Amino acid sequence: MWPWEHAIIGYLSYSLVCHFVFRTSPGGPDAFAVVFASVLPDLIDKPLAWEFGVFEAGYAIGHSLFFAVPLSILVGTIARRVGRPRIALAFPIGYLLHLPGDILYSYASEGVVYAEIVLWPIAVVPGDSARRGFFEAFELLFGRYVQTLLAGDVSTYVWIQFGLAGLAFLVWLYDGLPVLRDFCIGCRRIARTLVGSNRSTRE
């Protein structure tokens, strides 16, 4: 799955949990946490494989259940101890949903269930023999994706992807634009502080 697909699934799932469990919308920090966690496995494995050659393919330690579960527990424990229970829930939701998402994508695109994607180091995903850097590999894969769209060869899976993207945007609006809202509030506070300090200096 593409990073934005993981982010969409992660945010929609967490927002649903917030509305049904907490009866409120996601906040800025926890919304950021779930989106960041949803793409973190790729941020770990893709550069290590494509750029540095640590792994054969972009599915290794970051996608492994043997790493993902302990990491989620660790982050959740730390978040609770520092008084961030929402982040303690948001991070595991984003990270752990990434793993079945990739397995589902392999089945939707190739008709094969690649369970080894999440079983490193017990199972290792074979890599491409051609060694490419991170940006070159991303450009190649994204280029194929764009060419498919421009050719009008849009599969049912891609239409579902577009539909989920539209739904996620509407839900984000309904939730009050978390992250963006918090960023704007922070900018206002900084601006007010600067204006106040300038006035004090003049006086």
Side-chain angles (χ1 to χ4, degrees):
M1 293 178 72
W2 289 100
W4 52 85
E5 295 177 79
H6 289 297
I8 288 169
I9 296 299
Y11 182 80
L12 284 175
S13 300
Y14 179 66
S15 179
L16 188 66
V17 169
C18 283
H19 286 288
F20 276 91
V21 176
F22 304 117
R23 302 296 179 182
T24 185
S25 299
D30 41 309
F32 177 83
V34 72
V35 171
F36 175 73
S38 69
V39 299
L40 186 55
D42 285 335
L43 293 179
I44 295 172
D45 286 343
K46 264 48 175 186
L48 289 177
W50 297 348
E51 188 68 32
F52 302 107
V54 176
F55 303 115
E56 292 184 25
Y59 300 99
I61 186 171
H63 289 76
S64 175
L65 282 170
F66 307 110
F67 176 80
V69 173
L71 177 65
S72 296
I73 294 173
L74 176 63
V75 173
T77 302
I78 294 173
R80 285 191 183 91
R81 288 186 177 180
V82 299
R84 294 286 186 173
R86 292 286 192 92
I87 292 179
L89 179 63
F91 186 93
I93 287 176
Y95 202 106
L96 295 177
L97 282 178
H98 184 113
L99 310 186
D102 279 339
I103 294 177
L104 175 63
Y105 177 78
S106 68
Y107 179 76
S109 60
E110 302 177 35
V112 180
V113 176
Y114 287 117
E116 56 266 36
I117 287 176
V118 300
L119 295 177
W120 184 94
I122 293 177
V124 178
V125 177
D128 190 351
S129 58
R131 178 72 183 279
R132 300 182 179 88
F134 176 80
F135 293 104
E136 183 182 354
F138 180 82
E139 183 180 2
L140 175 64
L141 295 173
F142 186 68
R144 292 176 181 171
Y145 176 77
V146 173
Q147 288 178 359
T148 301
L149 295 181
L150 294 178
D153 186 15
V154 181
S155 64
T156 302
Y157 175 84
V158 174
W159 281 118
I160 294 174
Q161 178 191 127
F162 289 160
L164 287 176
L167 176 62
F169 180 72
L170 293 176
V171 170
W172 183 59
L173 290 177
Y174 177 78
D175 287 340
L177 310 179
V179 179
L180 177 60
R181 175 192 60 216
D182 295 72
F183 175 77
C184 292
I185 292 174
C187 289
R188 288 179 184 176
R189 290 176 179 172
I190 293 173
R192 288 175 182 175
T193 302
L194 292 176
V195 170
S197 61
N198 288 335
R199 286 179 179 175
S200 299
T201 302
R202 291 176 183 176
E203 293 175 357

